[in-house]
Amino acid sequence: MASSSYSNSPCAACKFLRRKCMPDCIFAPYFPPEEPQKFANVHKIFGASNVSKLLNEVLPHQREDAVNSLAYEAEARIKDPVYGCVGAISVLQRHVLRLQKELEATNADLMRYACNENMPAPTSQFGRRMGHGAGSYGQSSGLYYSSPWNNNQPSCEDSQERGGEGNNMQG
Amino acid sequence: MTLKGGTSHACAACKYQRRRCSAECPLAPYFPAEQPKLFQNAHKLFGVRNMLKILEHLEPSQKNEAMWSIICQANIRDKSPVYGCWGITRQLQYQVLLAEEELQAVNAQLEMYRQQHQQHQQQISSMPIDMTSQLELGMAPPSNALSLFNHTPQPYNVVPALPVTQQQQSYSNSSKAGYNSSAFMDTKDNAANPFWVQHSFANNNNNSMATFQSQLAASQPLAIQQVVQDYDEMHPFFDTIDDRQSYIDSKEAYESSSEESLKDTNQSIEHVAENELKSAAACFSLTSVN
């Protein structure tokens, strides 16, 4: 991370906001002047005030990660104003589920070859174990977070059907 | 604050801002008064003005989806102030990589079994010719061995998997170790990371998503390892079957055709074969005369 606290060049945040970059500028360590777009995105989506409050709430050694995550989310929201980074999460979740199902089916095939018809009892052990594992995979559904509304409202569980495809550049 | 002459309450957004909630309040549909935390999180991350800016450029049909994603994003940020959605994305990417590697390994194992199965089928079809030659040499097994002939290739098929499975275990372990040592979550707050992921599972979604993730992380590599270990456990089982004698004698026929590969297989079977050879010979001398 570049620090402009002791240099003449203001940080990207202070450049954007057209203000004097003080030595104790909270943005300076994380928004170097060489990356103006980073702060521009974050400011556009979240606002400098909110980012400043967020950074003040986390420990100093966590601020770089916090800024990077905000920059990622801001860029995702600019690219996809409807779903933002939540769309990517939805796509990844479905991918994981699809891979799990495929793994389950392949493991079942493997069991059939490993314990072919002439084998007695041990087959049941495999069936119980894989059944348990398969059951837990099969039960997985929905997203990590609950519905923001109670009834008659779109829920996060429905996002698997709608998340990720809406890359509309509306603005 | 209630509407004039109305019975409806102000939405959580207007309540928070302490202003009158009109019928045209754009945020009222998304922030019910009974869930103030939703708006607090969204307001903390985005702010009212930024949320409205996002909404004003969207079609009416997209506004619900957009607000839902904003609220989700804000809730995630509330639970994980440092990493937010970025942390979940990286976690999922890691899970995808793990699952793909595992699938690749299992497919390789499956392919190996398929090939062995095909070879086994070919050997069964060709074996009677060898058996005939053994008879001519006076080394034929007892008569009941032929009916149990189909059982004999099984440990032969299973055991060669041992070196492969050992590789499998090391493959899974090394891949996991490699990912664990990577800095994808270059966190200075390691103790909190697994907590917040599990925390969000436990609090927000009471279904088995938590179970799903823990199962994914812990049991997928173990499933294959457990299968491999069970193969080892199966070998003593073969030693205890009633047709052990005939099994061992028919195994000698195998050795004549594929001696090198059998020597690499189960040592216990060979040991038993040596011990049983005398009794087998004695049996043969009593029954082989036609």
Side-chain angles (χ1 to χ4, degrees), chain A:
Chain A
M1 63 185 184
S3 170
S4 58
S5 301
Y6 301 103
S7 66
N8 295 327
S9 173
C11 69
C14 294
K15 254 189 179 179
F16 187 93
L17 298 171
R18 293 177 186 172
R19 68 184 192 189
K20 186 177 179 183
C21 189
M22 304 299 289
D24 60 347
C25 174
I26 193 168
F27 299 118
Y30 316 109
F31 295 102
E34 300 83 21
E35 298 176 30
Q37 194 59 42
K38 186 178 177 183
F39 182 80
N41 292 342
V42 169
H43 177 65
K44 181 178 180 181
I45 300 299
F46 302 116
S49 172
N50 290 337
V51 173
S52 173
K53 289 179 194 171
L54 283 168
L55 290 181
N56 280 319
E57 285 180 0
V58 300
L59 297 173
H61 68 276
Q62 296 174 321
R63 286 176 183 168
E64 186 175 6
D65 287 335
V67 165
N68 289 336
S69 69
L70 288 170
Y72 163 78
E73 291 180 23
E75 186 177 355
R77 183 63 65 174
I78 288 171
K79 287 179 181 175
D80 183 1
V82 180
Y83 296 105
C85 60
V86 176
I89 289 175
S90 180
V91 168
L92 283 170
Q93 281 186 315
R94 282 180 290 176
H95 193 188
V96 168
L97 287 174
R98 192 167 56 243
L99 285 171
Q100 283 302 313
K101 285 181 184 173
E102 193 174 343
L103 199 57
E104 200 175 305
T106 310
N107 274 327
D109 288 341
L110 197 63
M111 287 298 102
R112 279 197 291 275
Y113 277 100
C115 315
N116 55 29
E117 301 83 357
N118 292 325
M119 288 295 298
T123 307
S124 62
Q125 295 177 3
F126 297 130
R128 281 201 298 273
R129 189 177 308 106
M130 294 310 295
H132 173 69
S136 64
Y137 300 140
Q139 290 172 2
S140 60
S141 61
L143 294 182
Y144 292 93
Y145 26 84
S146 62
S147 165
W149 302 288
N150 285 332
N151 296 322
N152 299 326
Q153 298 278 1
S155 66
C156 288
E157 282 81 3
D158 298 332
S159 67
Q160 286 186 347
E161 298 301 322
R162 59 188 175 192
E165 282 82 15
N167 284 320
N168 297 318
M169 299 298 294
Q170 295 292 330

Side-chain angles (χ1 to χ4, degrees), chain B residues 205-278:
Chain B
N205 197 344
N206 289 327
N207 66 5
S208 60
M209 183 58 84
T211 310
F212 167 78
Q213 187 166 13
S214 62
Q215 289 277 350
L216 170 64
S219 66
Q220 272 296 353
L222 288 177
I224 295 177
Q225 294 175 8
Q226 284 293 332
V227 168
V228 168
Q229 291 168 5
D230 286 329
Y231 290 150
D232 292 331
E233 295 169 5
M234 281 158 47
H235 291 296
F237 174 79
F238 283 109
D239 293 334
T240 60
I241 57 177
D242 294 334
D243 57 347
R244 176 177 53 189
Q245 179 176 340
S246 59
Y247 161 74
I248 293 164
D249 293 331
S250 60
K251 178 180 174 297
E252 291 175 355
Y254 266 112
E255 284 183 341
S256 67
S257 61
S258 56
E259 189 173 357
E260 286 298 321
S261 54
L262 276 177
K263 283 180 180 176
D264 294 332
T265 58
N266 196 350
Q267 296 290 331
S268 64
I269 294 178
E270 291 177 358
H271 178 69
V272 173
E274 291 174 0
N275 292 333
E276 295 286 335
L277 197 56
K278 289 184 180 178

Side-chain angles (χ1 to χ4, degrees), chain B:
Chain B
M1 183 178 254
T2 60
L3 295 174
K4 275 188 178 176
T7 57
S8 60
H9 300 282
C11 68
C14 294
K15 259 190 181 179
Y16 184 89
Q17 299 171 82
R18 292 188 180 144
R19 66 178 190 187
R20 186 168 299 182
C21 187
S22 65
E24 292 83 24
C25 175
L27 299 179
Y30 312 111
F31 299 109
E34 52 273 11
Q35 292 182 332
K37 185 66 175 165
L38 292 180
F39 177 77
Q40 287 173 17
N41 294 340
H43 176 67
K44 184 177 178 183
L45 180 61
F46 290 93
V48 173
R49 197 175 73 155
N50 290 328
M51 281 192 282
L52 294 177
K53 264 198 324 185
I54 291 173
L55 288 180
E56 72 182 359
H57 295 297
L58 299 179
E59 300 290 327
S61 59
Q62 296 173 319
K63 290 186 178 178
N64 280 353
E65 302 283 336
M67 281 309 301
W68 163 83
S69 70
I70 286 172
I71 290 169
C72 284
Q73 188 174 343
N75 287 340
I76 292 172
R77 179 63 63 173
D78 178 59
K79 287 184 169 45
S80 174
V82 179
Y83 299 103
C85 290
W86 180 63
I88 290 185
T89 303
R90 294 303 298 268
Q91 186 85 1
L92 285 170
Q93 287 172 342
Y94 172 60
Q95 289 181 8
V96 165
L97 280 172
L98 274 185
E100 284 177 344
E101 280 187 6
E102 194 117 11
L103 191 61
Q104 196 177 7
V106 173
N107 278 329
Q109 187 86 355
L110 187 63
E111 186 58 33
M112 185 199 73
Y113 276 114
R114 281 180 181 148
Q115 288 173 1
Q116 286 180 354
H117 185 71
Q118 287 175 358
Q119 288 173 4
H120 165 57
Q121 294 296 331
Q122 291 171 358
Q123 285 173 357
I124 287 180
S125 60
S126 64
M127 192 50 66
I129 299 174
D130 294 331
M131 291 300 293
T132 304
S133 63
Q134 291 298 326
L135 282 169
E136 291 174 356
L137 292 174
M139 293 174 62
S143 59
N144 60 351
L146 290 177
S147 63
L148 299 167
F149 188 80
N150 287 334
H151 293 285
T152 58
Q154 292 168 9
Y156 176 74
N157 288 331
V158 167
V159 171
L162 279 175
V164 176
T165 53
Q166 288 172 358
Q167 293 173 6
Q168 177 71 33
Q169 293 178 16
S170 62
Y171 176 78
S172 297
N173 291 333
S174 62
S175 64
K176 284 191 298 182
Y179 282 115
N180 288 332
S181 62
S182 67
F184 88 95
M185 290 274 278
D186 188 15
T187 172
K188 290 86 174 176
D189 193 12
N190 288 322
N193 282 338
F195 172 75
W196 68 255
V197 170
Q198 297 296 329
H199 181 65
S200 62
F201 295 153
N203 287 342
N204 286 333
N205 197 344
N206 289 327
N207 66 5
S208 60
M209 183 58 84
T211 310
F212 167 78
Q213 187 166 13
S214 62
Q215 289 277 350
L216 170 64
S219 66
Q220 272 296 353
L222 288 177
I224 295 177
Q225 294 175 8
Q226 284 293 332
V227 168
V228 168
Q229 291 168 5
D230 286 329
Y231 290 150
D232 292 331
E233 295 169 5
M234 281 158 47
H235 291 296
F237 174 79
F238 283 109
D239 293 334
T240 60
I241 57 177
D242 294 334
D243 57 347
R244 176 177 53 189
Q245 179 176 340
S246 59
Y247 161 74
I248 293 164
D249 293 331
S250 60
K251 178 180 174 297
E252 291 175 355
Y254 266 112
E255 284 183 341
S256 67
S257 61
S258 56
E259 189 173 357
E260 286 298 321
S261 54
L262 276 177
K263 283 180 180 176
D264 294 332
T265 58
N266 196 350
Q267 296 290 331
S268 64
I269 294 178
E270 291 177 358
H271 178 69
V272 173
E274 291 174 0
N275 292 333
E276 295 286 335
L277 197 56
K278 289 184 180 178
S279 59
C283 177
F284 178 72
S285 64
L286 292 174
T287 60
S288 63
V289 178
N290 296 325

